[in-house]
Amino acid sequence: MSTSHKLFLEAQQYIPGGVNSPVRAWRAVGGDPLFIQRGRGCRVIDADGREYLDYVGSWGPLIAGHAHPQIVRALEESLKRGTSFGAPTAKEIELAKMIVAAVPSIEKVRLTSSGTEATMTALRLARGYTKRTKILKFAGCYHGHSDALLVRAGSGALTFSQPDSQGVPEAFASQTLVADYNNLASVEAYCKADPTGIAAVIVEPIAGNMGLILPKPEFLSGLRKITQEYGIVLIFDEVISGFRVGLGGAQALYNITPDLTCLGKIVGGGMPLAAVGGKREIMDMLAPLGPVYQAGTLSGNPLAVTAGVETLKLVSAPGTYHRLNELGAMMAEGLRVAVKDTGTLACVNQIGSMFTLFFGVEQVDDYATATQSDTQLFARFFQGMIARGFYLPPSQFETCFISLVHGEAEVRETVAAAKDVLKNLRL
Ligand code: HOZ
């Protein structure tokens, strides 16, 4: 019996499902989840001492890889000074300044401990600012697990066919409108039906929670135009894309200025930290300046802020995103060739260092096409890759991440293994 198996049995006695976040339970792919004992660079080592090339990267934060020496050193220093004060520290200003300098639309920023808190605060701000109630999201986009946003949600909710969670009162869910990703007409229809009722449109400008889906040309600029026309606050959820596709995130890449932006993952360098930022006029509505309330004992925690600052220093080095783009393109190209050579029906979506291999479909650009993919085949592919030492997200509806410590050799190794698994899938 493997150590992971033993630990999983024990964990299930004390923790619902044995995990602290559902998708980690591997239910969509079968088998027991690996318990991880440590990470080093682009690899993780499980409880049985087996090493895997890691494409989960803690679901996105670890753009610098595991236990990067610069981050570890800074954390050690910070740790010696204390773990939490519940009072302001100078480091918070350093991180805030870095965020404001990097992300074009952010004039002021408030730090939180998780992406869920960041999106929840963004919605409250939008509602306070517009004095409206409804919000509009897109099917398959995931913005954390607050009540308003667990409606047609992606990520684990989609993986386990629970896009609408029980426990969310109908009165809350009814305030959330759901449009189709990459479909402006579906947004316009809602706006026309209720021209002064919608407080916010929230979108992942690059969708990473129904597998990776890229915005079509004109989708984001169209959203900006419609929201301006109807006086709606446009919120970009860049928890995944922020500092991932470039220092300025998706908004800089596509040259769109949202009103509010949510950040998480990379901005906390692997520690629990997220942020909501945007126009000064809206952000200054937050308590203690304004009437919109938000708070947190561990918000702006010194250790989390330190990891964030060091990670942003690392990604600010010249050539970072050029390198990540090259590796991502090499991976996508290699996988497409492997798919073609093995006669597999699958497609690869990729941007920069993010990619998803969708099975059983030729093209994926929204929730409807994502959910047509062959999740059984994905599960077999996943298991084949695990058996060969490659750790991928355990769901068709997640995104793989390449880090700065992956290299050409690792990409070649991954493509060769994928080709081998694909060949065997046909048997
Ligand atoms: N919602 C995360 C993936 N999109 C999963 C987080 C986790 O399980 O750690």
Side-chain angles (χ1 to χ4, degrees), residues 19-25 56 58-60 142 144 154-157 204 208-210 240 265 393 397-399 401:
V19 289
N20 285 308
S21 190
V23 81
R24 297 180 196 175
V56 178
S58 187
W59 306 90
Y142 179 75
S155 189
E204 290 180 79
N209 285 293
M210 45 182 162
I240 290 180
K265 301 201 190 264
F397 304 117
E398 299 286 352
T399 298
F401 298 100

Side-chain angles (χ1 to χ4, degrees), residues 81-164:
R81 292 190 290 270
T83 53
S84 181
F85 309 113
T89 62
K91 233 357 171 210
E92 290 166 65
I93 313 174
E94 198 178 336
L95 183 60
K97 274 188 185 167
M98 290 172 105
I99 295 171
V100 168
V103 185
S105 70
I106 298 188
E107 292 174 337
K108 279 193 170 182
V109 62
R110 170 68 59 91
L111 304 181
T112 64
S113 297
S114 70
T116 293
E117 288 172 72
T119 53
M120 192 176 72
T121 304
L123 292 187
R124 191 173 300 141
L125 269 172
R127 284 171 161 151
Y129 181 72
T130 59
K131 313 275 185 291
R132 298 174 181 180
T133 312
K134 290 196 173 129
I135 57 142
L136 185 147
K137 74 178 285 286
F138 294 89
C141 280
Y142 179 75
H143 307 287
H145 59 96
S146 68
D147 283 344
L149 291 163
L150 275 185
V151 181
R152 301 280 297 282
S155 189
L158 173 58
T159 301
F160 302 122
S161 306
Q162 294 172 341
D164 306 295

Side-chain angles (χ1 to χ4, degrees), residues 323 326-327 330 406-414:
R323 165 111 187 116
E326 274 184 355
L327 291 173
M330 184 180 167
H406 286 76
E408 281 81 0
E410 282 81 18
V411 173
R412 272 194 293 274
E413 213 184 303
T414 309

